[in-house]
Amino acid sequence: MNFHVMTLFPEMILSGMKNSITGRAIDKGLIAVEAINIRDYTTNKHNKVDDYIYGGGAGLLMQAQPVYDCWNALRKKIGKKGPRTVYLTPQGRTFTQKDAHEFALEEDLILLCGHYEGIDERVLEEIVTDNVSIGDYVLTGGELAAMVVCDAVSRLVPGVLHNDVSAETESFEAGLLEYPQYSRPEEWNGKKVPPILLSGDHAKVEAWKHEQALIRTLERRPDLLEKAKLSEKDRKFIKNLLQSKNDSDIL
Ligand code: 6GU
């Protein structure tokens, strides 16, 4: 899987991706991260990439020409007519695990990072296939968002995680949050590990984990339950949880 990040701050991308699991994936050749400096494609004397905004308004806008020439050079190198091109913008759809899975199917993914007040709309119309945001807040530029996308997609590339099971069982894969987890010692700070986890009864442990995932999701992200894959038994369990919560509210 090849990530091609178009940016004015290539070092930011490379330093963000070179460590930990993504760094190892790069070393193993499972993913490749290329950061292309849009400034290298300017045609003016001072390598200026931005200019004033027609119609007024505060700040500067990235101009169409260097962005388009940079993308075009990339497209030729990749050898695809309309490569998947993701523009990181607070005006995009909110990035989800579903998007991560979809992007992981691409051989090449272009990520475009904006700065200043954004990018001239005309070039965006020409090259962007997906407008993606990472949440409802405003960042100074798209680089951190691009790294979030690269990280989330990388861990879905086969071989990047040690056990492929963990990619599946983790939060969001079944539409639920993950259950709480414990390591040694058995007692810490006066708190014991839930005894069932030490019981050795595999079926009971699995049932407990699933119930804990339901409890946690109901408490922290009830909105996720609407889309989660729930069995009839799960629904009954949640109904009971809500019932006992209401009962204790009365008392
Ligand atoms: Cl993708 N870019 C910027 N600049 N701000 C954001 C964002 C992206 N997602 C959330 N806030």
Side-chain angles (χ1 to χ4, degrees):
M1 164 110 219
N2 306 308
F3 298 102
H4 311 270
V5 185
M6 296 170 56
T7 171
L8 292 174
F9 300 93
E11 332 74 59
M12 210 175 150
I13 302 295
L14 298 176
S15 65
M17 295 294 290
K18 73 180 181 200
N19 296 296
S20 184
I21 294 176
T22 50
R24 207 173 321 124
I26 293 168
D27 294 342
K28 284 205 222 164
L30 296 168
I31 62 167
V33 180
E34 175 193 30
I36 309 103
N37 197 336
I38 297 168
R39 199 177 295 281
D40 291 346
Y41 291 85
T42 50
T43 50
N44 62 77
K45 243 194 348 220
H46 299 101
N47 296 328
K48 193 169 65 83
V49 291
D50 55 307
D51 209 331
Y52 297 103
I53 305 171
Y54 281 121
L60 300 165
L61 203 64
M62 281 170 72
Q63 292 166 283
Q65 175 272 319
V67 173
Y68 188 75
D69 289 354
C70 179
W71 179 82
N72 215 13
L74 250 178
R75 168 172 75 151
K76 281 182 189 153
K77 195 174 79 167
I78 295 167
K80 236 184 252 145
K81 196 151 185 290
R84 196 90 187 245
T85 303
V86 179
Y87 178 41
L88 288 315
T89 168
Q91 298 174 20
R93 69 173 183 269
T94 306
F95 182 64
T96 63
Q97 191 64 18
K98 189 163 167 270
D99 293 305
H101 277 284
E102 201 183 303
F103 291 159
L105 299 175
E106 302 285 342
E107 185 59 29
D108 292 277
L109 192 64
I110 298 178
L111 297 117
L112 171 61
C113 304
H115 256 269
Y116 314 110
E117 292 306 309
I119 303 179
D120 190 307
E121 192 69 21
R122 292 167 295 183
V123 67
L124 298 175
E125 286 171 8
E126 290 296 315
I127 73 175
V128 173
T129 58
D130 300 79
N131 290 286
V132 168
S133 164
I134 61 163
D136 289 341
Y137 39 81
V138 182
L139 303 170
T140 57
E143 283 75 13
L144 281 169
M147 286 189 264
V148 165
V149 171
C150 289
D151 187 290
V153 172
S154 292
R155 62 186 290 292
L156 299 176
V157 171
V160 170
L161 293 187
H162 279 309
N163 48 346
D164 283 346
V165 190
S166 65
E168 281 163 27
T169 59
E170 266 167 41
S171 294
F172 292 110
E173 291 302 339
L176 296 175
L177 300 183
E178 219 179 4
Y179 47 83
Q181 298 180 103
Y182 306 86
S183 184
R184 289 202 283 189
E186 268 182 52
E187 185 176 331
W188 177 83
N189 217 16
K191 292 174 151 182
K192 289 195 166 64
V193 171
I196 191 147
L197 296 176
L198 311 172
S199 70
D201 187 334
H202 184 69
K204 273 197 180 148
V205 168
E206 289 309 308
W208 180 87
K209 286 178 178 175
H210 186 63
E211 285 183 354
Q212 290 296 313
L214 291 170
I215 292 168
R216 181 148 286 194
T217 309
L218 181 66
E219 280 177 352
R220 299 186 183 182
R221 290 293 306 277
D223 58 298
L224 293 178
L225 290 174
E226 282 171 34
K227 281 192 195 160
K229 290 176 201 134
L230 301 175
S231 68
E232 205 40 53
K233 200 175 164 203
D234 291 340
R235 290 180 197 282
K236 279 211 182 99
F237 182 75
I238 291 165
K239 228 178 180 175
N240 277 330
L241 287 173
L242 289 169
Q243 187 66 52
S244 47
K245 186 184 172 297
N246 280 341
D247 291 349
S248 65
D249 282 350
I250 294 162
L251 303 171

